[in-house]
Amino acid sequence: MATTLATPGVYSNEINGFPNSVVPVATAVPAFIGYTPQAEYQGQSYYNMAVKISSFAEFQAIFMLPNPPAPADLAKQYSPQYYLIEQKTTPTRGDYLALNGQCYSVLPDPNTIYYLYNSIRLFYQNGGGDAYIVAVGSYGRASGKPLTDPTVNVTNSNVLLADLQRGLALLTEESEPTIYICPEATLLSLNDNTTLMESMLLQADTMQTAVCIFDVIGGANPDPVLYTNDIQNFRNSTGSVGLNYGISYYPFIGTTILQSGDIDFTNLFGGDIKQLEPFVNPASAPNPTAAQILAMIQTPPANPLTNSQLQAALLVASPVYGQIINHVLASANILPPSGAMAGVYTVNDQQAGVWNSPANTSIVGAVSLPIRLSDSDQENLNIDAVSGKSINAIRFFNGQGILIWGARTLDGNSQDWRYIAVRRTMTFLEQSIKLAAQAYVFSPNDANTWAALKSMISSFLTGVWKEGGLQGASPSDAFNVSVGLGSTMTADDLLSGYIRITVMVAVVRPAEFMVISFEQQQATSG
């Protein structure tokens, strides 16, 4: 309304009835860093950009090749290659197949193994929503040589530390992601994996907006006894900075992401049908039908069948071929759990709140584990007396299936930050209040502004308390907000333009250990 009234009449003056409020920030927005077959949409490249998506269909449209791909793109299409490698003795690790009295390990060409695509599928299968994708490059060429030792971890020479670090650095410009995930980090060498994890923790500690979910090298194919070496290597590889922003899960999980239609003869022996023939049409037991199908694959007729038709025919003609495909599927479906955990976090936050621990729940699509941990096995994962770095176990329980059985950060020795729920709740509160307080930048540094800030923050925290995010019988027990001259500020702060706000909260912690006491009582008369 005009300050000087010169014309007679009636004037109205609108007064705000409600003060500013704190808008809760999103708590489960993962950022995936890794390799994709392409990163292009409507003629624009999306490599080395943080691209926000809201569905798997969006991911496919931008980062996957057309289905079916154009002939020129066939070499770039995601196509893991597996080989049957004869072993002198029965392998104690990894998947193997017994054929004609011989044992064959199912081993990949390591340069054809990538995890990002299937991790995104796991994320959405487990209830994921918004996510950021940072594609750092396309798939590299196959080496044409498989692993020969089933005890060796897969290392893809096409996955480069410099690429992944460049993608990580791009996220410094994005404040919305709350989880950093790099599924292909386990395909690096141990030293490069160490550098990447330390970089992720340092960036998370600096930005204070996201946690990092790590996978453990060796978790895909653990030794039944010496798997503890992989655990120790992981603990030695995470450094000492930002541990309260790090979360790890072990082991990998056997999934149902890849179905029978996703793997065929083009994924075997680098597409060399001649190497497949001795298994489906051996000289000792000829299979003319299988031989005819293989000939059609090698020399297509005038009206060739599609790969899916040839695959179906070969499965019918050769039971051995069906066994080979099933074993390859089982190996290809063993994936790092980080992508699935991001989806679990999303559902957890939607249904129970970020202050609830994402544990004692199942993983959709997880059907097996490469190693079954016992209570005594988990003791060494959950609490480590030397490093204090906790690793969350994924375990199988009779009658319950596969459950996430841990809720700790890597900072297991810290009384303040040992629990995932506490770390993520504090990040949620800090960032929500920080963004809301920006509305008061350049406001007068006086009692009115202090009162408005205190009222706004107190109202927000009261809402969190009512939802169960803070403990206490009343709001005064759950939190305290202080701001003003003489309590949080000095005269020098006023002259320097500072408003200092102190917020104390009683965060809910998980009931990790439940102790039930039993005592016998003597029978009494009456």
Side-chain angles (χ1 to χ4, degrees):
M1 187 175 68
T3 56
T4 302
L5 301 180
T7 304
V10 179
Y11 296 85
S12 64
N13 185 19
E14 293 183 351
I15 300 175
N16 291 332
F18 301 97
N20 290 340
S21 61
V22 177
V23 178
V25 299
T27 57
V29 182
F32 291 88
I33 309 167
Y35 293 82
T36 59
Q38 72 166 20
E40 182 179 331
Y41 187 69
Q42 295 183 344
Q44 179 179 349
S45 173
Y46 287 92
Y47 278 122
N48 296 309
M49 295 175 60
V51 182
K52 186 177 182 180
I53 63 172
S54 299
S55 67
F56 184 65
E58 286 187 58
F59 176 82
Q60 287 182 304
I62 301 173
F63 299 102
M64 298 303 295
L65 297 173
N67 189 22
D73 290 330
L74 283 173
K76 295 165 52 183
Q77 178 70 335
Y78 174 63
S79 185
Q81 295 296 320
Y82 284 86
Y83 293 74
L84 298 184
I85 305 301
E86 185 176 345
Q87 302 295 322
K88 295 181 180 179
T89 59
T90 302
T92 58
R93 294 172 62 181
D95 194 18
Y96 68 90
L97 187 62
L99 295 172
N100 301 322
Q102 298 291 332
C103 277
Y104 297 89
S105 287
V106 180
L107 297 174
D109 176 341
N111 283 17
T112 65
I113 301 301
Y114 297 89
Y115 290 136
L116 180 65
Y117 170 55
N118 286 326
S119 292
I120 299 295
R121 295 174 72 180
L122 269 178
F123 170 64
Y124 282 107
Q125 190 175 44
N126 279 273
D130 290 344
Y132 282 77
I133 308 297
V134 182
V136 298
S138 60
Y139 296 158
R141 292 186 175 277
S143 68
K145 299 178 181 178
L147 292 176
T148 57
D149 185 352
T151 65
V152 174
N153 294 318
V154 175
T155 301
N156 187 339
S157 62
N158 295 322
V159 176
L160 303 178
L161 172 63
D163 290 345
L164 299 177
Q165 284 190 309
R166 183 177 65 252
L168 175 66
L170 292 172
L171 294 174
T172 57
E173 304 298 323
E174 304 290 341
S175 60
E176 187 178 14
T178 59
I179 305 170
Y180 293 162
I181 299 175
C182 188
E184 285 147 358
T186 57
L187 298 174
L188 295 168
S189 67
L190 189 61
N191 289 337
D192 285 350
N193 180 253
T194 297
T195 303
L196 179 63
M197 290 195 296
E198 289 180 345
S199 299
M200 292 173 70
L201 288 173
L202 177 60
Q203 182 165 313
D205 186 59
T206 302
M207 294 188 66
Q208 299 182 339
T209 57
V211 296
C212 308
I213 300 182
F214 296 126
D215 305 299
V216 179
I217 289 180
N221 186 23
D223 186 281
V225 177
L226 301 179
Y227 73 92
T228 53
N229 293 338
D230 296 328
I231 300 300
Q232 190 58 47
N233 287 336
F234 174 81
R235 284 176 167 145
N236 293 339
S237 300
T238 52
S240 59
V241 176
L243 293 179
N244 60 316
Y245 289 95
I247 305 165
S248 179
Y249 293 91
Y250 181 86
F252 280 33
I253 53 177
T255 71
T256 56
I257 284 294
L258 292 173
Q259 298 293 315
S260 56
D262 296 318
I263 296 291
D264 60 23
F265 49 84
T266 62
N267 300 99
L268 300 175
F269 304 103
D272 186 355
I273 298 301
K274 292 182 180 179
Q275 294 187 55
L276 175 61
E277 187 167 9
F279 295 98
V280 299
N281 182 34
S284 58
N287 187 333
T289 305
Q292 183 180 4
I293 298 170
L294 294 178
M296 293 174 65
I297 295 173
Q298 288 181 291
T299 309
N303 296 315
L305 299 177
T306 64
N307 277 6
S308 59
Q309 291 173 321
L310 292 167
Q311 170 80 349
L314 200 52
L315 287 171
V316 173
S318 173
V320 171
Y321 179 71
Q323 294 178 38
I324 294 173
I325 291 296
N326 288 338
H327 281 266
V328 169
L329 269 175
S331 296
N333 266 320
I334 296 178
L335 301 172
S338 54
M341 289 309 307
V344 170
Y345 281 27
T346 302
V347 173
N348 173 83
D349 295 359
Q350 291 172 347
Q351 295 182 349
V354 67
W355 43 84
N356 186 70
S357 294
N360 196 8
T361 186
S362 60
I363 299 174
V364 178
V367 295
S368 65
L369 296 172
I371 184 173
R372 290 192 178 183
L373 301 170
S374 64
D375 287 346
S376 59
D377 294 332
Q378 189 178 358
E379 286 180 8
N380 297 324
L381 295 180
N382 203 48
I383 301 174
D384 181 61
V386 178
S387 69
K389 298 176 182 178
S390 299
I391 298 172
N392 300 303
I394 300 174
R395 294 180 56 185
F396 174 84
F397 294 91
N398 288 325
Q400 299 181 73
I402 295 172
L403 297 177
I404 303 155
W405 207 246
R408 292 193 170 208
T409 68
L410 288 178
D411 204 1
N413 276 349
S414 170
Q415 294 287 358
D416 290 319
W417 305 113
R418 67 172 55 176
Y419 294 116
I420 297 170
V422 173
R423 171 67 275 169
R424 297 182 68 232
T425 299
M426 289 299 292
T427 299
F428 162 68
L429 298 178
E430 291 166 4
Q431 295 305 312
S432 297
I433 293 172
K434 176 183 175 181
L435 291 176
Q438 287 183 353
Y440 292 89
V441 174
F442 305 118
S443 295
N445 199 351
D446 58 15
N448 291 334
T449 300
W450 306 336
L453 282 165
K454 182 174 181 179
S455 175
M456 177 184 70
I457 297 171
S458 297
S459 177
F460 168 65
L461 293 176
T462 299
V464 174
W465 169 75
K466 288 181 178 179
E467 293 180 33
L470 300 175
Q471 58 181 329
S474 65
S476 60
D477 297 328
F479 64 86
N480 176 266
V481 181
S482 300
V483 57
L485 186 62
S487 59
T488 63
M489 299 157 55
T490 66
D492 286 340
D493 290 327
L494 289 178
L495 293 174
S496 301
Y498 287 101
I499 293 182
R500 299 190 185 276
I501 309 168
T502 300
V503 181
M504 293 186 291
V505 291
V507 181
V508 177
R509 293 169 180 263
E512 188 179 19
F513 306 105
M514 286 188 150
V515 180
I516 303 174
S517 299
F518 290 89
E519 182 179 350
Q520 293 190 51
Q521 180 177 336
Q522 293 288 347
T524 59
S525 60

